[in-house]
Amino acid sequence: MRTILIICILFLRLHTNAQTRNNYLEFKTYKKLQSYFRNHQKNTPLVSAHRGGPTTNFPENCIPTFENTIKNHPAIIETDISITKDSVLVMMHDDKLERTTNGTGKLSDYTYTELQKFFLKDNEGNLTNYKIPTLDEVLAWGKNKVIYTLDVKRNVPYKKVVEAVKKNNAEHFCIIITYNANQAEEVTKMHPKVMISVSARGQEDVERLLSKGIKKENIIAFVGISIPPDDILQYFKSQNIPMVLGTMSNLDKSAIANGDNIYKEIFSKGIFVISSDRPENVSNQIKILKNTK
């Protein structure tokens, strides 16, 4: 009887691990990651979990939350980088601690060690046992599991983020978010073999990026938080540049009011990545898309 029980437990563990691994986004080299996005028109679209996919008892920008997000579906993890008083890169969206932790004041007024006395809160205000992770910890966990899009907060030098990506050999699963051509150029000069998400609304923006020596195959275009006009969509398709659309504002609200089918409609327009506060719902629409092909 005991032997049968042990076999059953082992089977369940193996089955659980297999299910989890099926949800991994695993690329062995930067070139393979790059190729995946270059061939996006042939590949299944992706969901990006905004701030890692926070939900009840799972705070934003937290490794257990990332684990929970990919439990049932693959995901890009969008996560925010801030910097402590003693120049440690940590994961935090806000300048101040009150909303997401039981601490008070500016994060930048604390050393990393001082921050460790605080605990993270979920978006409903529930205090958890989780603490603020470092970028190094996040990169160590994410290897061969997810793709990260690293959102670099205003007071954080891109140089330190690029150094962390290099140190952790994370080029094959990290995309650095930039907001304009100058930032994209800065990152590219420091590390030509890293992919960049950059705000780009059309031909003029793309030509500016190319004029600064940024390779087209390294560009992922963030096209905003509303669906672009058809001519803009067609331009990016013609250039074979993958598009990210943010639905974390009005479009997520529209989906709640009118149905999740809106996500499927967005993908049908050629958008490759939807960045959403509702990653599970977006993922369900991706599954429907896959089943209808």
Side-chain angles (χ1 to χ4, degrees):
M1 185 69 182
R2 185 181 175 191
T3 303
I4 293 172
L5 181 61
I6 291 170
I7 290 170
C8 289
I9 291 170
L10 287 172
F11 175 79
L12 286 171
R13 284 180 179 174
L14 287 169
H15 184 61
T16 302
N17 288 339
Q19 284 183 315
T20 303
R21 183 160 288 280
N22 287 339
N23 294 327
Y24 287 174
L25 292 170
E26 190 171 351
F27 302 92
K28 294 300 184 185
T29 66
Y30 149 76
K31 282 290 185 184
K32 288 186 176 179
L33 177 67
Q34 186 188 63
S35 176
Y36 184 81
F37 281 93
R38 287 299 289 168
N39 292 299
H40 65 279
Q41 296 187 48
K42 299 177 183 177
N43 290 329
T44 302
L46 294 170
V47 62
S48 173
H50 187 227
R51 302 185 193 174
T55 187
T56 304
N57 297 321
F58 289 99
E60 61 185 50
N61 292 310
C62 174
I63 291 171
T65 302
F66 304 163
E67 290 177 331
N68 184 63
T69 294
I70 66 167
K71 186 170 60 179
N72 296 315
H73 58 86
I76 295 174
I77 298 293
E78 187 270 348
T79 187
D80 304 287
I81 305 171
S82 292
I83 192 166
T84 66
K85 185 178 181 180
D86 54 342
S87 298
V88 177
L89 297 180
V90 295
M91 315 317 293
M92 177 67 63
H93 177 272
D94 297 4
D95 292 334
K96 293 185 177 180
L97 297 171
E98 281 84 350
R99 182 179 68 85
T100 57
T101 79
N102 61 343
T104 59
K106 288 186 176 181
L107 179 144
S108 58
D109 287 340
Y110 292 87
T111 66
Y112 170 70
T113 300
E114 290 169 340
L115 284 175
Q116 290 310 291
K117 66 185 178 184
F118 303 132
F119 292 91
L120 291 167
K121 294 189 289 190
D122 69 14
N123 286 355
E124 298 163 30
N126 301 308
L127 196 63
T128 72
N129 291 323
Y130 306 133
K131 298 193 176 187
I132 301 168
T134 65
L135 177 58
D136 285 339
E137 290 169 340
V138 162
L139 294 180
W141 174 84
K143 185 176 181 181
N144 298 328
K145 294 188 184 79
V146 299
I147 300 169
Y148 284 121
T149 50
L150 303 176
D151 194 352
V152 183
K153 296 291 107 178
R154 200 168 297 142
N155 62 334
V156 180
Y158 275 104
K159 185 174 185 292
K160 286 190 70 66
V161 175
V162 171
E163 286 172 351
V165 169
K166 285 182 177 179
K167 181 181 73 174
N168 288 279
N169 298 312
E171 293 86 349
H172 60 290
F173 61 98
C174 284
I175 298 163
I176 296 178
I177 295 175
T178 62
Y179 289 91
N180 56 56
N182 290 335
Q183 290 177 345
E185 180 184 28
E186 180 186 352
V187 171
T188 297
K189 283 183 174 178
M190 287 187 284
H191 198 357
K193 292 186 177 181
V194 66
M195 296 195 68
I196 294 168
S197 171
V198 59
S199 297
R201 306 301 175 92
Q203 183 173 349
E204 185 178 337
D205 289 340
V206 171
E207 288 178 350
R208 186 179 299 112
L209 290 165
L210 297 178
S211 73
K212 290 179 175 292
I214 300 160
K215 293 180 179 179
K216 191 185 293 185
E217 55 264 35
N218 277 354
I219 297 172
I220 298 169
F222 181 80
V223 294
I225 57 173
S226 58
I227 300 171
D230 286 346
D231 61 326
I232 300 299
L233 293 168
Q234 288 304 318
Y235 170 74
F236 282 109
K237 287 181 191 176
S238 72
Q239 297 299 305
N240 199 31
I241 295 174
M243 292 177 281
V244 181
L245 179 72
T247 63
M248 67 287 283
S249 183
N250 290 333
L251 289 170
D252 274 350
K253 291 176 183 175
S254 178
I256 292 169
N258 302 305
D260 292 345
N261 191 57
I262 188 173
Y263 300 125
K264 188 154 59 74
E265 293 172 0
I266 290 169
F267 285 127
S268 72
K269 291 180 177 293
I271 299 295
F272 185 55
V273 179
I274 287 178
S275 180
S276 174
D277 284 327
R278 307 176 72 231
E280 187 76 28
N281 302 73
V282 177
S283 177
N284 288 336
Q285 293 301 305
I286 293 172
K287 290 173 185 174
I288 293 171
L289 270 176
K290 285 175 70 175
N291 291 333
T292 55
K293 284 187 177 180

